[in-house]
Amino acid sequence: MPHFKDFKGDPLRQYVGMLEDLMKEERLSICSHGEDLDGLTSASLVIAVRPEGLEVHFSAPYEIKNLWDSYDLVLDLPPPRGGARVLIDHHASNISLLDRVRTPILRPEYPSTARVLYEILRGWEPGVGRYSELIDLTDATDSGKMDLESSLFTSAIRKLFKERKRKLLEVCGDLLRSPPISSKDLIELPSLRSEVSFLTREYGDLIERVLSLSGGEALLLNVRNYPSYLVPLMQLASQGYKLLGTLTRGSDGLLRLSLRSRPDSPITALQIAEALGGGGHEHAAGALVSPSTMPEIVEKIRRFLSLSVVDL
Ligand SMILES: [Mn+2]
C-alpha cells in the first residue's frame, strides 16, 4: 500500500470547527472535480456527512477557472471568478487564484484533496473513518500510480462527465455504499459497468497499441481523432517515457495537451504546462494550446529530450 507521512500533528485541525459550521448550514452548494476519483471521493465525503440541503456540481479546471459562478465549497479545482467561501485543494498551481477565496485550504504536500477533506471531517465526524481505505485508494490513484483498471475507471468517469454529468452522483452513491479498496473494485461499480464495457469493446485494440509502445525519452501521442475521455488510458504509456504528452481536441478549436513526467525528466510536466498558460501538479499537468503553436512546443521539448511523435 502507498506510504504516507503521519498527518496527526497537522494544523488542519484549526479548520474543523469552521467546516463543521459550514456543514450545518441550511443550504450548501459545492463544486468538485468531475473528472477523476479524487473529485468524486471528495464530493462523496460531503454527501456522507451532509445528505440534505446539498447542491452538488461537477466541473473541470479549464472550465471553472473562467466562470462567474460562486460556491460555498470548491473541491480539487481552481476557484471560479465568482469566488468561493472555502476551497479545499492540493494543486500548487492554484495558489495564484487564492484571492478569490475567503478561506483557502490548499495543501500541495497532500496526495489527494479527498485526504485533506477527510482529515478535517474526521475531527468532528469520526464515522467517516469507514472510508479510510477509499481514501488510501484515492491517494494512490491521484499520485499517478495508474494501472489498467484505474485508467479504465478514470476514462469512464470522463465519459460521464462529458455526456451525462448527473450520473456522477450515482457513482458517488456507489462509492459510499460499498467503498472500493482496489482499482479492480472501481471498474465494478454498478453505475459504471456499461461505460467500462463500452470502452473495452470499442477501444480494446487502441489500448493494446498503447501498452505495446516501446518506450524511450519523450513521446507525444496525437489522439486528436479519438474522444478526449480516452486520455487516462493513453497515459498508460507514461511508465515507459520520461515525458509523455497526449494531444486531444479541446474547446474552441484549441488542443488539449495533457502531460506526465517521471522524476528523471530534465523538464517537468508542470514547467511545460505553466509556460503554456496551464497548470496542475509537478508531474501531471495540462494546458490548452492553439494548433499553430505545436511546432514551437515540439521544438522546446526537443531542447531537453529526444521526442517521438506518434499518431494513433
Ligand atoms: Mn486531486
Side-chain angles (χ1 to χ4, degrees):
M1 267 330 267
H3 40 280
F4 305 112
K5 64 184 180 90
D6 185 3
F7 296 121
K8 284 204 184 83
D10 195 281
L12 283 180
R13 211 170 280 265
Q14 67 183 293
Y15 300 111
V16 171
M18 185 274 300
L19 209 67
E20 178 176 4
D21 290 345
L22 191 74
M23 292 296 151
K24 287 177 175 164
E25 284 179 21
E26 212 170 302
R27 312 177 68 84
L28 187 73
S29 64
I30 70 168
C31 187
S32 191
H33 192 189
E35 297 178 307
D36 67 9
L37 181 62
D38 194 13
L40 293 196
T41 301
S42 299
S44 301
L45 285 175
V46 177
I47 296 168
V49 299
R50 211 233 126 94
E52 305 288 324
L54 184 65
E55 200 183 288
V56 183
H57 301 261
F58 292 104
S59 189
Y62 54 88
E63 204 175 80
I64 192 173
K65 226 166 148 173
N66 302 313
L67 282 186
W68 283 99
D69 300 1
S70 77
Y71 302 98
D72 295 318
L73 175 61
V74 171
L75 297 163
D76 201 41
L77 286 170
R81 284 202 172 140
R85 290 168 65 194
V86 181
L87 172 85
I88 301 180
D89 184 31
H90 71 141
H91 296 92
S93 60
N94 291 335
I95 289 174
S96 62
L97 299 174
L98 294 188
D99 56 352
R100 297 174 173 184
V101 184
R102 205 178 311 163
T103 309
I105 308 173
L106 193 143
R107 297 299 166 104
E109 71 276 20
Y110 273 61
S112 71
T113 294
R115 169 75 57 187
V116 182
L117 178 63
Y118 174 78
E119 294 297 329
I120 303 173
L121 289 179
R122 223 164 45 146
W124 62 276
E125 183 46 90
V128 297
R130 72 179 287 256
Y131 304 112
S132 81
E133 284 174 308
L134 171 61
I135 306 299
D136 290 342
L137 181 63
T138 306
D139 284 344
T141 309
D142 220 55
S143 334
K145 291 180 201 77
M146 298 291 273
D147 52 21
L148 179 58
E149 284 82 14
S150 48
S151 302
L152 268 172
F153 168 84
T154 311
S155 283
I157 291 298
R158 289 208 183 177
K159 186 170 185 294
L160 286 184
F161 180 75
K162 280 253 141 68
E163 297 171 359
R164 284 192 294 161
K165 234 179 227 188
R166 295 323 290 172
K167 191 133 198 243
L168 293 173
L169 280 174
E170 282 175 43
V171 182
C172 290
D174 285 346
L175 291 176
L176 295 176
R177 224 175 345 263
S178 40
I181 62 172
S182 73
S183 52
K184 196 171 166 293
D185 300 336
L186 288 174
I187 56 170
E188 282 168 5
L189 296 175
S191 52
L192 281 182
R193 226 168 265 159
S194 69
E195 310 301 332
V196 169
S197 64
F198 170 85
L199 290 172
T200 47
R201 193 175 62 235
E202 281 316 292
Y203 300 111
D205 294 347
L206 182 67
I207 297 167
E208 284 299 311
R209 259 184 287 156
V210 168
L211 290 173
S212 64
L213 286 164
S214 58
E217 284 215 318
L219 176 68
L220 185 61
L221 275 180
N222 185 359
V223 280
R224 259 181 266 191
N225 297 320
Y226 291 96
S228 60
Y229 56 69
L230 294 175
V231 167
L233 284 163
M234 304 297 101
Q235 285 174 335
L236 281 169
S238 67
Q239 275 98 341
Y241 297 86
K242 292 181 182 173
L243 181 75
L244 172 75
T246 316
L247 213 51
T248 50
R249 230 187 287 269
S251 47
D252 311 325
L254 295 173
L255 297 173
R256 192 171 165 185
L257 177 63
S258 307
L259 295 152
R260 286 282 184 281
S261 53
R262 279 196 327 223
D264 59 346
S265 175
I267 181 164
T268 67
L270 186 58
Q271 285 169 334
I272 299 173
E274 284 192 327
L276 300 169
H281 299 291
E282 191 177 10
H283 295 300
L288 283 173
V289 298
S290 93
S292 62
T293 59
M294 275 320 293
E296 209 178 297
I297 294 168
V298 167
E299 184 89 349
K300 190 176 148 75
I301 296 174
R302 285 199 167 131
R303 261 178 255 152
F304 297 89
L305 292 160
S306 93
L307 171 72
S308 9
V309 182
V310 171
D311 291 307
L312 284 175

